[in-house]
Each structure stands twice: as C-alpha cells, then as structure tokens.
Amino acid sequence: MIDASPSTAGSGNEALAAVPGELRVFQWHDHASLWFNLGVGLLVMQMGSYLLPALSPPQALLAIVLGSVVGAGLLGWVAWIGCRSGLSSAGLMVAVYGRSFARLPIVLNIVQLLGWGAFELVVMRDATVAVGRHGGAMTADYWPYLATLLWGAVILLLIGGSMVRLVRRIVSRVALPLVVLSLLWLSWQFLSMAQSQGLAALWNRSGSGGMGALSALDLVIAMPISWLPLVADYARHGKSGRSAFTGAWTGYAVANIWCYGLGVLVALTLPSQDLIMALLQAQGGLIALSLVLIDEVDNAYGDTYSASVSAHSIVPRWSIRRWGLLIATACCLLAMVLPMHSLEPFLLLLSSCFVPLFGVMLGTLGLGADANRLLRQAPAVRIKAVLIWAAGVACYHLLPLATTALGSALPTLALSFGLAVVFMRRREQAEPVPA
C-alpha cells in the first residue's frame, strides 16, 4: 500500500507531496520550450509518413492539425492539474484511484516508460549508425552496442543533475533554437524538392483509402496522449496553472504539427525511402538530422525522469536521483538485449491503458476539484474510478471489432471522462477522511 498521509508525504516521499510555491520556477517559455522539444522526434516524423498514401495530402494535413490541437490540449489540461496541485503523476493517480490500487497504474507506467526509454535509445542508436555508415564509418558489428552505451551514458549524466536546471538552462536556451533551425532547414529542403517534382500535382494526389478520418485522428493523437502520464511531473514546478496549460499546449501542438507534416512531406517526395536515409538525402541533411538526433535525448531523459519519480512514490527510501540512475541503466541494457522494434506493438498496447486512465482523472480533477484534498482523503481503493477505468479499457479494445470508422482514443476518452464527471467528481469530494 502507498502511504499517502501528510506525514509520509512530508518525510521524504517527494512524489506524493506538493512542490512548495517558493520552489516553483517554470514560466510560460519553460513549459513551451520543454514540450516543443519533447514533441520533436524521428518517431513522430515516421508516424506522419504513415498517413500516406491512404489519405490525400489535404486530408492528412487536416488530421494533423485537428489531432495535434486536441491531443496537445489534453496534455495542457493535465499540465494545468499538475501545476495547480503541485503533485506528480503518481500523486494524482493515488488521489483518483486510492492508495492501494494506484500501485497498478503506477507500475504499468514504470514498465511502459522503461520500454519507451529503451526504444528511444534504439532510435538514437540506429540513427547514429546510419549517419556514420552514410559517411563510410561505423561498419563494424560492435558499433550498435557502442552507440547504445554512448547515448546511455549521456542519459546517465543528465539524470544525475537537476531536472529544473536542465529545462531552464539547456532545453530553453540551447536545444530549442538548434532544433528549430534544423526543422526549418529540413522543411525548406523538402519543400524545394516537392516544388521541383511539381508541388501542385503532389498536393492534389488522391488517397488510396484504407484509413478513415477518425482513425487518422487516432494516429495523430497517439503521440501527445503517450505523454499524458509524464506531464504533471514537470508541470508541478510551474508558477502558474494558466502558463502551464497554454505553454504545454502551444509548444507540443506546434512541434506535433511540424513533425507530422514533415513526415508527410518526406513520404510525398521520397515515398520508397527509409525516413533516416531520406533525411540524409537533403542538402545539409547530415547536420540537420544530427541536431534532431541530439534532441531525441530529451525524450529518453523525459521517460527516465518520470519513471524514477513514479518508482520513488512506491519506494521513497530511494531518492528520485538514485532511481533515475538505476532506470537509465536498465533502459540501456534493455536496448542492447531486446528486439525493441518488434516490441513496439506491445508498448502501444500498454499505452492504450492510459487513455481511459486519464479520462477518469480529467473527469475527476479537471473541472476544479482539489487534488491535494482527495489525496489526503484517499481510501485504499476508489471502486467507482476503478470500474470506469476498466470499462474504458474494454471500450478501447472492443470498439475496433465493431467498427474502425470511429477510432479508439477519442470515444474511449469521452466515455471515461463522462462517466467520471457523473459518478466521481461530486461524490468523491464529499468522502470523509478515513480514520
């Protein structure tokens, strides 16, 4: 059982204690910079390329804009809750689901973050080796292992420092301008390539079908929703709920639209090419890809840091930093021994549990409920919250069997949110404090 009592929260469990006001330093540009950087990635571009050839370019662009605005809006909403309460994602889960039951979603979150952290290291490893071999180097069989160890060492170095300093001094001041310049350059190069191939003809190309509008929205929303279990771990350090909401929403929406759109543009101009090799074919693509690759470090760090906060909430005698070093090491080892690309469907399946999970959390906390009060009052299990979550998980996986036209994410989110508003919000706030 997780002890969520005030005495425990105040005696070393940082994940279940609100961040004091005097320690909250993130402003709008910190939230926006962080979530723009976390929204940029090679995997996001790859997801954008999946929209073609099923959709026409105008249909793909519409899905990208709508999906990014909605998905990033949900991200910003959770950021608002995290900043308003000062609680981590683990703390919010305890407040909504109860002290004992919250262990399940917290452990699921740690498992998925271990998987995604290892997957990010694999993406960085593969891209590094591809860049090296493009230049005639890194041909030996040991280079994938060496590249994994290299990037793993970078994550270990970063996780040993202060997350707040990393965001304010490195992400906002250094990483953001470099990654913006790299995206501008790649966009210009591929737009020029599209212009030389006949931009009007490419734009008017018809879709082949096989993907409905809501299924396309699901594909776009998948990326921002995958970050929902992490956002409060950072937003809790914000000064203002409004700046956390608008900063996270704006930063991630712009990054998601840009990277999905760039993926579509690459698929239009070089449809038969691997994404990394296609980026390398652009003039100056090596430098731009290298900057995007370095920016992937933010994603791996984000997974590792949030996993360490969640682990600390269960075993607080280990500090967040100590858990971070252990989890970063585990991610590195997993990246070297597991076939991560073949495990991606499992990670996506695991992530599906968090769509209804956060639907319930938004329905319970997203309309102004006091998360800290619910945390103090948390029983062992909040039965209604657990049942609504279970119904949402069932909806997510059963709905595609009935129809593929609706997608899964939005209907499931709407169902779990609506049920939580009806059955959870007012009644749970009225619960007496357990003895």
Side-chain angles (χ1 to χ4, degrees):
M1 178 184 293
I2 299 173
D3 188 349
S5 66
S7 60
T8 299
S11 62
N13 197 328
E14 298 176 44
L16 300 186
V19 175
E22 64 271 16
L23 298 181
R24 301 187 190 188
V25 296
F26 285 176
Q27 301 183 51
W28 185 91
H29 69 275
D30 297 309
H31 296 291
S33 299
L34 172 65
W35 287 104
F36 182 91
N37 276 274
L38 290 176
V40 172
L42 296 173
L43 180 59
V44 187
M45 297 179 197
Q46 187 70 60
M47 295 283 278
S49 68
Y50 292 159
L51 295 170
L52 299 182
L55 302 179
S56 68
Q59 290 172 329
L61 183 60
L62 180 61
I64 289 169
V65 172
L66 290 178
S68 298
V69 169
V70 172
L74 294 171
L75 199 76
W77 198 356
V78 177
W80 176 80
I81 296 171
C83 184
R84 184 172 178 268
S85 64
L87 295 175
S88 68
S89 291
L92 297 178
M93 290 179 194
V94 173
V96 172
Y97 292 97
R99 297 188 307 273
S100 295
F101 188 85
R103 276 183 174 270
L104 176 59
I106 290 172
V107 169
L108 286 176
N109 189 34
I110 294 169
V111 171
Q112 77 147 352
L113 290 175
L114 277 168
W116 284 120
F119 190 83
E120 289 290 349
L121 286 173
V122 169
V123 170
M124 292 188 286
R125 174 196 72 196
D126 291 349
T128 301
V129 173
V131 168
R133 290 177 178 173
H134 182 73
M138 298 187 184
T139 56
D141 292 339
Y142 59 78
W143 267 107
Y145 297 99
L146 192 59
T148 305
L149 290 173
L150 171 65
W151 288 115
V154 173
I155 302 303
L156 279 167
L157 180 65
L158 293 176
I159 206 70
S162 165
M163 180 277 291
V164 172
R165 289 196 194 97
L166 175 69
V167 172
R168 303 191 77 200
R169 296 183 181 179
I170 299 178
V171 173
S172 297
R173 300 177 186 177
V174 179
L176 179 64
L178 290 177
V179 77
V180 168
L181 286 174
S182 66
L183 290 177
L184 283 171
W185 181 259
L186 288 172
S187 300
W188 173 258
Q189 290 301 312
F190 281 97
L191 280 171
S192 300
M193 199 179 300
Q195 184 68 42
S196 66
Q197 295 178 15
L199 183 58
L202 292 175
W203 178 254
N204 293 319
R205 183 179 295 173
S206 300
S208 62
M211 182 185 292
L214 289 177
S215 296
L217 279 175
D218 254 12
L219 188 64
V220 177
I221 290 173
M223 295 311 297
I225 280 182
S226 70
W227 288 105
L228 288 180
L230 292 79
V231 60
D233 295 331
Y234 303 93
R236 66 197 296 234
H237 295 275
K239 287 186 172 183
S240 157
R242 181 177 180 179
S243 66
F245 173 73
T246 57
W249 189 358
T250 303
Y252 198 93
V254 172
N256 212 54
I257 291 170
W258 201 340
C259 288
Y260 267 87
L262 186 54
V264 168
L265 189 57
V266 171
L268 273 176
T269 53
L270 296 171
S272 61
Q273 292 288 329
D274 172 80
L275 177 70
I276 293 175
M277 297 310 297
L279 295 177
L280 286 171
Q281 289 190 33
Q283 183 180 1
L286 177 61
I287 296 175
L289 177 60
S290 298
L291 293 176
V292 173
L293 176 60
I294 293 172
D295 187 67
E296 290 280 351
V297 172
D298 295 342
N299 297 26
Y301 175 88
D303 293 330
T304 303
Y305 176 77
S306 279
S308 64
V309 173
S310 293
H312 170 76
S313 74
I314 298 177
V315 185
R317 64 177 176 271
W318 277 31
S319 67
I320 293 175
R321 179 179 180 274
R322 187 177 181 185
W323 272 116
L325 294 172
L326 176 63
I327 288 169
T329 302
C331 288
C332 191
L333 293 174
L334 290 173
M336 289 194 292
V337 302
L338 291 180
M340 293 306 302
H341 287 295
S342 62
L343 290 177
E344 185 179 0
F346 168 73
L347 293 174
L348 292 173
L349 177 67
L350 194 60
S351 297
S352 70
C353 296
F354 292 94
V355 175
L357 183 91
F358 276 86
V360 178
M361 290 178 66
L362 288 170
T364 305
L365 304 175
L367 300 177
D370 187 343
N372 285 282
R373 179 184 175 187
L374 288 178
L375 179 65
R376 293 191 299 270
Q377 296 176 348
V381 182
R382 293 194 191 275
I383 299 296
K384 291 190 289 291
V386 173
L387 292 176
I388 296 170
W389 180 32
V393 173
C395 174
Y396 191 98
H397 293 287
L398 293 176
L399 190 59
L401 301 179
T403 176
T404 58
L406 296 177
S408 294
L410 288 179
T412 299
L413 194 68
L415 173 68
S416 53
F417 175 81
L419 290 175
V421 169
V422 172
F423 293 107
M424 284 285 298
R425 185 169 174 263
R426 293 180 181 177
R427 297 182 186 181
E428 297 299 351
Q429 289 184 81
E431 284 186 356
V433 178

